[in-house]
Amino acid sequence: MANLTDMDPRNSSSRSSQTARRAGNLEIPIFGADYARLAVSLGAGRLELNAAGSYAAGGTTPSLTELHTLLTSLSAGPEEKERVLPPIRIMIRPRGGSSEQQDFIYSTLEYYAMMHSIQEFKQSGLLRAERGDGFVFGILKGGGGGGGLQVDVERNTNLVGLAWPFACVFHRAFDDLLGGPGSTEIQTAVEAVRGCGFDGILTSGGRGNAPDERNRERLGEIIALAASGSGSGAASQTQQGPSSDGQQARRKVEVIVGGGVRSGNLGTLRGSLESQTAIGGDEPLCWYHSSCITLMDGDTTFEGQEVSRLVEGLAPAGSG
């Protein structure tokens, strides 16, 4: 059973409005709708919705009922009804990995299930493209150099086209491409994701956690490449629309840094990335992604104080 700790948002309205203005680039993944209202009241700039109870598996596809409950909880009181809701990103992941099945490599039936989920959420009328709502998914396949993995361009491109006009993020399947046997070069991986038409990449910079020294180095390179808009940018015409010469316009890809991001290591991580990529200011080139959850004896606890500390740590200098 999940626990909520630290504070009730109904007792902190003045602080909520202040921190919400400063959150900007903090994304909180939630597992079911329980944490949504508290996370937003403390300053989360975006929510990623996963199925309840799927934290240990890394997050799986939620139900329409969970999305409806989340949106209802965010609009529960008079004050909330006047507030602009944050973007909601829906995880599309039929299962995690196991000893029998490779994570992020899906059967035909699982691929069809992902298509069905995207269609169902789109047709529900609960999502708003203009708000920045969208989907988070990623499909890999074998056949990379040295027996490694590569982006399944065909399937991902089809799903991105199906999801249009909603934003799409390639999630931490990206990390399985880097740092292992037969690993993909970072530029090749970024360009493959860009070519599928994704708007963002959720990554730790490789297997492990984002604050790890080697991963911080990779993240700097990923952010620079994603922000450059270089490469073919062969996104689906369904999503982008052809340019006048029939070629796709080059496009930037947002990077969402996740995996082990906590307030205790945020300063080192953020400083390293800013020094490598010259990011900073009011419009950062990347977001930070943290669940703010502890797991003990199968029980998850949501840490409201950790959200507040991350919001403070990501606030632009001189704000509030």
Side-chain angles (χ1 to χ4, degrees):
M1 180 178 180
N3 298 315
L4 303 181
T5 67
D6 305 317
M7 64 183 67
D8 185 325
R10 291 169 294 185
N11 299 327
S12 55
S13 59
S14 61
R15 187 172 180 216
S16 300
S17 61
Q18 181 184 30
T19 54
R21 288 196 299 270
R22 291 187 288 171
N25 57 333
L26 175 62
E27 177 179 275
I28 301 290
I30 58 174
F31 301 84
D34 290 347
Y35 315 143
R37 191 176 178 196
L38 179 57
V40 172
S41 75
L42 294 173
R46 191 159 67 197
L47 298 178
E48 178 197 88
L49 178 62
N50 299 264
S54 68
Y55 174 72
T60 56
T61 307
S63 66
L64 270 179
T65 299
E66 286 172 316
L67 174 59
H68 184 271
T69 302
L70 180 155
L71 294 172
T72 300
S73 71
L74 292 180
S75 304
E79 181 181 341
E80 285 79 359
K81 289 180 180 179
E82 300 300 321
R83 184 180 299 155
V84 176
L85 298 183
I88 309 297
R89 300 290 170 85
I90 308 296
M91 177 65 75
I92 303 295
R93 187 177 179 218
R95 60 163 173 83
S98 68
S99 57
E100 293 80 24
Q101 295 174 299
Q102 169 70 48
D103 207 357
F104 311 120
I105 295 181
Y106 300 117
S107 68
T108 300
L109 286 177
E110 289 170 329
Y111 170 57
Y112 288 159
M114 296 172 77
M115 295 177 65
H116 174 75
S117 294
I118 290 173
Q119 290 176 317
E120 187 176 45
F121 280 109
K122 283 185 62 177
Q123 293 170 1
S124 72
L126 297 173
L127 298 176
R128 299 285 181 270
E130 65 274 15
R131 185 169 61 204
D133 293 349
F135 300 99
V136 183
F137 57 86
I139 304 178
L140 303 179
K141 65 179 182 177
L149 300 170
Q150 59 183 314
V151 175
D152 189 328
V153 172
E154 180 179 0
R155 285 183 168 186
N156 285 301
T157 301
N158 288 343
L159 292 183
V160 169
L162 182 64
W164 186 86
F166 294 95
C168 291
V169 171
F170 192 90
H171 64 47
R172 290 185 62 189
F174 190 86
D175 297 334
D176 280 5
L177 299 171
L178 310 179
S183 58
T184 304
E185 291 185 359
I186 291 176
Q187 182 170 1
T188 300
V190 171
E191 294 306 332
V193 171
R194 191 199 315 272
C196 294
F198 283 96
D199 301 280
I201 302 171
L202 171 60
T203 176
S204 297
R207 293 172 179 170
N209 289 324
D212 298 344
E213 183 176 0
R214 182 68 184 96
N215 282 9
R216 293 202 312 265
E217 294 174 2
R218 291 195 192 102
L219 280 166
E221 186 175 350
I222 292 166
I223 291 169
L225 286 167
S228 70
S230 63
S232 61
S236 65
Q237 294 189 1
T238 303
Q239 181 190 38
Q240 294 289 348
S243 61
S244 57
D245 60 0
Q247 299 296 317
Q248 294 299 84
R250 294 180 179 181
R251 56 200 304 277
K252 295 182 180 180
V253 177
E254 179 182 84
V255 174
I256 303 100
V257 177
V261 176
R262 304 287 290 187
S263 58
N265 57 46
L266 178 63
T268 299
L269 176 60
R270 190 182 184 193
S272 174
L273 298 183
E274 290 185 358
S275 67
Q276 291 183 74
T277 60
I279 63 176
D282 293 334
E283 297 294 334
L285 297 178
C286 67
W287 281 61
Y288 292 84
H289 176 101
S290 180
S291 62
C292 301
I293 283 176
T294 57
L295 179 64
M296 183 175 297
D297 298 327
D299 190 21
T300 57
T301 299
F302 184 77
E303 303 174 80
Q305 289 185 354
E306 177 66 6
V307 178
S308 297
R309 287 190 289 262
L310 286 166
V311 167
E312 295 292 338
L314 290 171
S319 66

